[in-house]
């Protein structure tokens, strides 16, 4: 669980990842050692997973995003498919799922026409039997986690 101070620490570093621990401690009005210990604990527990730059596929020149439901060769296994698909740079995410399909992949492309090349590359791995693809038209809520942090800390509860 995260408490209110954890949530405030996460929020302040999410808004300014370059902020120093000392500056954060002054802003939050808590000891520097407290902020550092909380960050260390949040990292060790897997709540905070990194501090790198957030990249935009659109900004790199890949404005088309699609989700592909994939049925795989059952004798290949999920790990072999994941390894094969990791060789396709446009595959941004891959998840095992329940239901009719085995995997869900998030892919990007330079254009709708380029999406066909990406899908062909996925199929060319030889690990996918069939796929079904939906193209994202507009993203109404971008990837986020801060509302979960606030809710877990009790701030978002009624």
């Amino acid at each position: 669980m995260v408490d209110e101070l954890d949530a405030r620490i996460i929020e302040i570093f999410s808004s300014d990842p370059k902020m120093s621990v000392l500056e954060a401690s002054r802003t939050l009005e808590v000891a520097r050692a407290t902020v550092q210990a909380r960050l260390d604990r949040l990292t060790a527990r897997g709540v905070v997973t990194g501090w790198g730059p957030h990249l935009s596929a659109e900004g790199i020149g890949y404005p088309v995003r699609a989700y592909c439901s994939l049925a795989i060769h059952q004798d290949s296994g999920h790990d072999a498919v994941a390894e094969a698909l990791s060789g396709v740079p446009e595959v941004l995410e891959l998840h095992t799922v329940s239901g009719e399909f085995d995997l869900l992949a998030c892919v990007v492309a330079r254009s709708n026409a380029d999406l066909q090349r990406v899908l062909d590359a996925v199929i060319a791995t030889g690990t996918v039997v069939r796929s079904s693809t939906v193209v994202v038209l507009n993203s109404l809520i971008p990837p986020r986690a801060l509302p979960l942090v606030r809710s877990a800390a009790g701030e978002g509860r009624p």
Side-chain angles (χ1 to χ4, degrees), residues 100-146:
E100 181 182 350
F101 290 91
D102 302 302
L103 299 169
L104 180 66
C106 177
V107 302
V108 293
R110 295 185 182 275
S111 65
N112 285 343
D114 186 49
L115 179 58
Q116 183 64 60
R117 178 193 59 79
V118 173
L119 297 175
D120 290 345
V122 167
I123 297 299
T125 64
T127 60
V128 175
V129 176
R130 64 187 167 88
S131 68
S132 176
T133 302
V134 293
V135 176
V136 174
L137 300 176
N138 191 14
S139 295
L140 302 175
I141 298 175
R144 63 192 184 139
L146 280 178

Side-chain angles (χ1 to χ4, degrees), residues 14-62:
S14 294
S15 65
D16 185 2
K18 293 182 180 181
M19 180 179 285
S20 71
V21 172
L22 179 60
E23 186 178 349
S25 71
R26 289 178 180 156
T27 301
L28 296 167
E29 298 179 343
V30 296
R32 181 199 170 287
T34 300
V35 173
Q36 186 63 60
R38 294 289 187 114
L39 284 173
D40 292 344
R41 189 187 79 213
L42 290 166
T43 301
R45 289 180 35 222
V47 174
V48 174
T49 59
W51 298 105
H54 298 282
L55 303 176
S56 161
E58 294 84 2
I60 300 170
Y62 292 83

